[in-house]
Amino acid sequence: MMAPSAAAADSSPPSSPETTENHLQPFFVLHEASSRKPGRTSTGTVKTRKKIDFSPSKLKNVEKPDVEIAKEGGDEGYGNLRMDAFEVVWSKIESTIKDVLRDINANVFNEIHQWVRDSFSTIRSFGMLTFREATQAFPIVTDASSKQLFTGLVLTKNMEFVDDLLTFEELGRHLKSQGCHVANLSSLDFTAKSGIGGCLRSLLRQFLVAPLDAADISILASWYREQGNYNNPIVVIVDDIERCCGSVLSDFILMFSEWVLKIPVILIMGVTTTLDAPRNILPSNVLQRLCPCMFTLGTPSERMDAIIEAVLVRQCSGFSISHKVAVFMRNYFVRQDGTITSFIRALKIACSQHFSMEPLSIILKGFFLEEDRQGLQDGLLLQAMFKHAFDLPSYGRNKMGEENVGSFAHCLSELKRSQTEWRTVVLCLYEAGKGDRIQLLDLLCEALNPALYSSRTSGTCTKVDKGHGVSPSNNFPVQQHPIMRKDRLICQAVQKVRDLPIAQLYKLLKRWEELTVDINEIHAKLKELLSVIKLENGRSSRQDMADSSKRPVSRSQLNIEKESRAVNEKAASLIECMVRDYMQPVECLPLHEIVCFKNVETLQLALIGDPRRRIQIDLLESYKILRCSCCSRSGHSLLPSLHDTSILYNLAQEHGDHINLHDWYQSFKSKVCSSRSKGKHKSKQSPLPKKRKDMNEPDKPCEASIQARFCKAVTELQITGLIRMPTKRRPDFVQRVAFGL
């Protein structure tokens, strides 16, 4: 980043350290230091310009209330309201994600806690120490069986340890809530540089709170005995054993195994690859001191499916994403680092960009979260903003009729109802495809694709018929519809329904019955199908008891199989009609722009970035960033007060692949010296005395100064990767590297 000039620094608004840290900007091109004319000197009072403070703390005093801003009706006036809405919506999403991850790990955490209690009871069974024995500064000499350290190996199966940090932090909070003394150690504590002393100091800081420079394990033993903490175990959690230094970790284990009777330490270590990882890190004498127990957390795909279901399918906050955004986020998750943390970060960026770009996004705070819904329908905010909705492309495309508040509220209600139906069908398909290991994120990308769907097309399956479904051979040919192609995940889920045994089909339909409570028509058809399956099961059981024929396959058994296949076909036909009638993507609905983020280019730029393009834009359009008085008066024309690099790169746009250095320099020289000639021409008509006129005229830059500035600007363009320096073959030409925006 280039250093700003003195003039630019004086005119820039002051910013607090917090604002500067959280508002990073990519590469700005600032003005060159302008020459100041000496002012008049007098013995009287000198008037100075008062600097206006534009800091956020000063602006808060003159900010208008949100209601007054809403009255004005401008898009910029809703910034505070949209920011408040974003904070409410994202806090809801974030709390939902934490609850989902906590519920997934709840069973494993309970098992770990029970194992910790059992291990602590085993340690206490070796005998209780007196106060004097427990506070002595040396370990107790006992047999080898009492020197084993109970160690829990937790297999995380994550590609990166970023997700493990959150998991082990949650595990530590869970064990603390159960009364255990817990310390979380990072793999960075087990480095060869810090040694065993660094581990002990980190451990003492967490237990004793007060900072200690001495790394003495007897201090921990005294704390455990004197403070009345000996009724609960000490649990030390290491997030990733494979990132620790083997020698330091070995010394740590050997030391605590000698003190295990005084300090009942129980180790919990994370393993990312296989449970045999300790054998590759620790020597055999250290492995003999461990009494391991294995635990396995849920796979990353299971956690990802749970997050997708809670946030993007069930839509806990009302916020949704488009098909292109979903495909990009899936590819970003798979091809980048594959961590849930990165996916959540991408989701947060998408949510923040949606609220910053869409004025009507503030409706998510009240309407979809059921907060102050009556105030949204009858209050000033809806009356001031509903006019924006009639300019949305989806509203005009669907021809919603009259443009009034009632029509707007009706469209929002229909949007929410359609999203509920879409969610129900997607979850039913996911339940059907779980046996084939269909990932919910892949199914979501397919279910959001508007190209595969038409909004309630005529001549197809229009709602569910009065029977148990529609036969695909008569009314709806499966292979004629693009969504039912064999390579689609939805088609695979439907085919899975056809192939299920009658017992598993009954369990699946019971699960569908729970999911379709909000769709009365589908719920009724599912009850009928369940009653048919119960009837068929009763008939088959009675027939098996009555049939004593020794023939390999009886006629009654063939009839039962035929009726079973008919039930499977009815269930498959029912889910097909549910897909076509109720699974309408959000992008096909009116007013979907309010809740759906679609700008995948902006999200991609925020996550992956395009620094070279950003540098080019800053160089070519620096006046948009600076917004100074001279740039506003001149428009897009080049001024000598611009930075030399910006002037030089703008002049380079007049050339092709290769730029002649001599022509480039002459153009740069004419631009730099243009203001001096104009100032000299104006000074001839000035009525001021000759002495004053000569004093106000700036010094003309010499040739050497212009050449030095030119060389410096060319070097900066080379460093930023926009040009390539001359070669021996063509020493008088530079080559452009970046073209176009």
Side-chain angles (χ1 to χ4, degrees):
M1 182 173 177
M2 300 179 183
S5 62
D10 290 342
S11 60
S12 61
S15 58
S16 62
E18 182 180 358
T19 305
T20 305
E21 182 181 356
N22 298 328
H23 188 63
L24 302 178
Q25 299 293 339
F27 192 86
F28 290 118
V29 180
L30 304 180
H31 273 194
E32 176 194 16
S34 60
S35 58
R36 295 185 178 182
K37 297 180 180 181
R40 298 183 180 181
T41 58
S42 62
T43 57
T45 304
V46 179
K47 294 183 179 180
T48 58
R49 294 182 179 180
K50 184 178 180 180
K51 189 174 182 180
I52 302 175
D53 191 359
F54 291 101
S55 61
S57 60
K58 298 294 183 181
L59 291 177
K60 284 183 180 179
N61 298 330
V62 296
E63 282 183 352
K64 296 181 180 179
D66 292 341
V67 177
E68 295 184 9
I69 294 175
K71 288 181 180 180
E72 296 178 0
D75 288 348
E76 297 181 357
Y78 296 110
N80 294 333
L81 296 178
R82 281 185 281 173
M83 181 57 66
D84 294 340
F86 164 71
E87 292 176 356
V88 171
V89 170
W90 180 249
S91 63
K92 176 65 175 178
I93 294 175
E94 193 173 26
S95 61
T96 301
I97 292 174
K98 290 181 179 179
D99 293 340
V100 166
L101 295 178
R102 187 183 302 111
D103 294 340
I104 289 178
N105 298 323
N107 294 332
V108 181
F109 286 177
N110 291 332
E111 292 178 7
I112 293 176
H113 173 251
Q114 186 60 41
W115 167 79
V116 168
R117 286 297 175 182
D118 295 341
S119 302
F120 181 64
S121 300
T122 304
I123 295 174
R124 298 293 292 269
S125 65
F126 289 111
M128 293 292 295
L129 301 178
T130 63
F131 179 81
R132 182 179 179 182
E133 292 175 340
T135 54
Q136 288 176 350
F138 49 85
I140 300 298
V141 179
T142 56
D143 56 350
S145 61
S146 62
K147 293 184 179 182
Q148 282 194 325
L149 204 61
F150 289 92
T151 306
L153 300 178
V154 181
L155 183 61
T156 60
K157 300 181 181 179
N158 282 327
M159 296 176 62
E160 295 289 341
F161 74 100
V162 179
D163 295 337
D164 299 339
L165 299 178
L166 301 177
T167 302
F168 286 114
E169 286 178 4
E170 188 64 33
L171 175 60
R173 284 191 290 267
H174 176 76
L175 294 177
K176 283 182 180 178
S177 64
Q178 303 297 327
C180 302
H181 307 295
V182 182
N184 288 81
L185 296 182
S186 171
S187 56
L188 300 177
D189 295 323
F190 294 88
T191 58
K193 182 178 180 180
S194 59
I196 189 65
C199 306
L200 280 177
R201 277 189 289 268
S202 178
L203 205 63
L204 292 173
R205 280 194 297 267
Q206 296 187 50
F207 285 128
L208 277 68
V209 180
L212 294 175
D213 295 331
D216 191 354
I217 192 173
S218 61
I219 299 176
L220 182 62
S222 300
W223 167 84
Y224 182 75
R225 186 70 182 184
E226 292 177 356
Q227 300 298 327
N229 299 317
Y230 52 86
N231 291 326
N232 292 306
I234 294 179
V235 181
V236 178
I237 300 177
V238 182
D239 52 20
D240 192 352
I241 184 178
E242 295 168 277
R243 291 178 176 267
C244 299
C245 178
S247 59
V248 178
L249 182 61
S250 299
D251 295 340
F252 184 83
I253 293 173
L254 291 175
M255 178 181 61
F256 273 99
S257 64
E258 296 290 341
W259 287 78
V260 68
L261 293 181
K262 289 187 174 184
I263 310 173
V265 171
I266 298 173
L267 283 180
I268 296 178
M269 297 188 291
V271 181
T272 57
T273 55
T274 61
L275 293 174
D276 295 333
R279 298 180 182 177
N280 302 327
I281 301 174
L282 303 175
S284 58
N285 63 321
V286 177
L287 293 174
Q288 294 175 359
R289 298 292 184 96
L290 300 180
C291 181
C293 183
M294 314 301 178
F295 302 96
T296 303
L297 296 175
T299 61
S301 60
E302 293 175 354
R303 280 177 276 182
M304 176 60 70
D305 285 347
I307 293 175
I308 294 296
E309 178 181 349
V311 177
L312 296 179
V313 178
R314 294 187 182 272
Q315 296 177 358
C316 60
S317 63
F319 173 73
S320 63
I321 58 177
S322 66
H323 169 253
K324 291 184 178 179
V325 174
V327 172
F328 169 75
M329 292 181 66
R330 179 190 62 184
N331 297 336
Y332 177 77
F333 172 72
V334 174
R335 297 173 184 175
Q336 296 295 324
D337 54 2
T339 61
I340 295 177
T341 304
S342 64
F343 185 86
I344 296 174
R345 181 170 62 93
L347 183 64
K348 184 175 184 179
I349 294 175
C351 185
S352 63
Q353 289 179 344
H354 175 69
F355 279 90
S356 64
M357 298 170 63
E358 177 54 52
L360 293 176
S361 59
I362 61 175
I363 297 177
L364 279 171
K365 177 181 178 181
F367 188 79
F368 289 92
L369 293 181
E370 303 294 342
E371 297 177 2
D372 195 20
R373 184 170 181 177
Q374 186 65 29
L376 178 63
Q377 292 179 351
D378 303 332
L380 174 65
L381 185 59
L382 184 58
Q383 295 179 3
M385 295 191 64
F386 81 96
K387 294 181 181 180
H388 291 272
F390 305 136
D391 297 331
L392 295 177
S394 62
Y395 191 89
R397 184 171 58 247
N398 289 273
K399 299 178 181 180
M400 301 308 299
E402 298 181 0
E403 298 181 357
N404 50 39
V405 181
S407 176
F408 178 61
H410 174 72
C411 289
L412 288 180
S413 179
E414 287 296 313
L415 176 63
K416 190 173 183 180
R417 182 188 60 81
S418 299
Q419 284 293 87
T420 301
E421 295 174 348
W422 174 87
R423 172 181 70 236
T424 301
V425 180
V426 171
L427 292 177
C428 289
L429 289 170
Y430 178 59
E431 291 293 333
K434 276 185 177 180
D436 288 344
R437 296 182 179 180
I438 293 179
Q439 302 295 325
L440 185 56
L441 184 56
D442 298 332
L443 183 62
L444 175 71
C445 294
E446 192 170 304
L448 287 172
N449 191 355
L452 299 180
Y453 299 85
S454 57
S455 56
R456 306 194 183 277
T457 56
S458 60
T460 60
C461 178
T462 58
K463 294 294 180 184
V464 181
D465 288 351
K466 294 181 179 180
H468 300 305
V470 180
S471 176
S473 60
N474 298 329
N475 296 5
F476 201 89
V478 174
Q479 301 300 332
Q480 292 182 3
H481 201 274
I483 200 174
M484 286 301 171
R485 282 175 14 199
K486 290 184 178 180
D487 57 339
R488 303 287 183 190
L489 295 177
I490 295 177
C491 182
Q492 296 177 18
V494 173
Q495 187 61 37
K496 182 68 177 179
V497 176
R498 290 191 173 94
D499 300 336
L500 281 178
I502 195 67
Q504 296 184 16
L505 180 63
Y506 180 78
K507 295 180 180 179
L508 178 63
L509 293 181
K510 289 292 289 183
R511 178 59 180 155
W512 285 2
E513 186 182 18
E514 298 174 1
L515 294 173
T516 57
V517 175
D518 297 329
I519 308 178
N520 297 329
E521 191 175 1
I522 298 298
H523 195 67
K525 295 303 175 184
L526 285 171
K527 286 186 176 181
E528 294 181 16
L529 273 177
L530 288 171
S531 62
V532 171
I533 293 178
K534 288 181 180 179
L535 182 62
E536 295 295 336
N537 287 338
R539 186 184 305 171
S540 61
S541 60
R542 289 193 301 269
Q543 187 65 36
D544 291 340
M545 294 176 61
D547 189 11
S548 57
S549 176
K550 296 182 180 181
R551 288 177 295 177
V553 180
S554 63
R555 183 178 300 177
S556 59
Q557 187 175 355
L558 291 175
N559 292 335
I560 293 173
E561 293 178 357
K562 183 177 180 180
E563 293 173 354
S564 176
R565 286 195 299 268
V567 173
N568 284 67
E569 191 63 35
K570 289 177 181 179
S573 184
L574 178 63
I575 189 63
E576 287 176 359
C577 291
M578 290 169 60
V579 169
R580 293 173 182 86
D581 292 338
Y582 297 101
M583 199 172 72
Q584 194 173 8
V586 64
E587 293 181 81
C588 299
L589 302 173
L591 302 183
H592 70 270
E593 293 91 346
I594 298 175
V595 301
C596 180
F597 175 72
K598 301 193 298 182
N599 199 331
V600 65
E601 292 81 9
T602 306
L603 179 62
Q604 182 177 359
L605 188 63
L607 289 173
I608 300 177
D610 192 355
R612 179 172 292 182
R613 180 178 182 273
R614 184 71 258 171
I615 291 173
Q616 293 182 77
I617 293 175
D618 289 341
L619 287 171
L620 295 175
E621 301 177 354
S622 57
Y623 57 89
K624 294 183 179 179
I625 302 173
L626 297 174
R627 296 180 181 179
C628 55
S629 58
C630 57
C631 290
S632 60
R633 289 195 303 265
S634 63
H636 297 178
S637 61
L638 291 178
L639 294 177
S641 59
L642 282 175
H643 198 280
D644 295 339
T645 310
S646 180
I647 296 175
L648 208 57
Y649 193 67
N650 277 273
L651 294 174
Q653 307 307 308
E654 303 173 0
H655 301 266
D657 294 355
H658 293 82
I659 306 174
N660 186 282
L661 283 173
H662 178 74
D663 297 341
W664 203 17
Y665 171 74
Q666 292 299 329
S667 301
F668 174 75
K669 180 180 178 181
S670 63
K671 289 293 181 182
V672 170
C673 298
S674 60
S675 64
R676 275 76 180 181
S677 61
K678 291 180 181 179
K680 188 175 181 180
H681 179 73
K682 291 180 181 180
S683 64
K684 292 180 181 180
Q685 302 177 357
S686 176
L688 296 176
K690 186 174 181 181
K691 184 181 292 185
R692 180 66 50 82
K693 180 175 64 177
D694 294 339
M695 188 169 56
N696 289 339
E697 286 183 1
D699 297 334
K700 184 178 180 180
C702 61
E703 189 75 15
S705 174
I706 298 175
Q707 290 181 7
R709 291 167 57 183
F710 178 79
C711 293
K712 181 181 179 182
V714 171
T715 305
E716 289 176 350
L717 290 177
Q718 180 202 15
I719 293 173
T720 53
L722 299 179
I723 64 170
R724 187 175 293 127
M725 293 301 254
T727 60
K728 293 182 179 180
R729 184 177 179 182
R730 305 189 70 176
D732 54 343
F733 284 87
V734 295
Q735 183 179 359
R736 292 178 62 186
V737 178
F739 296 90
L741 295 176

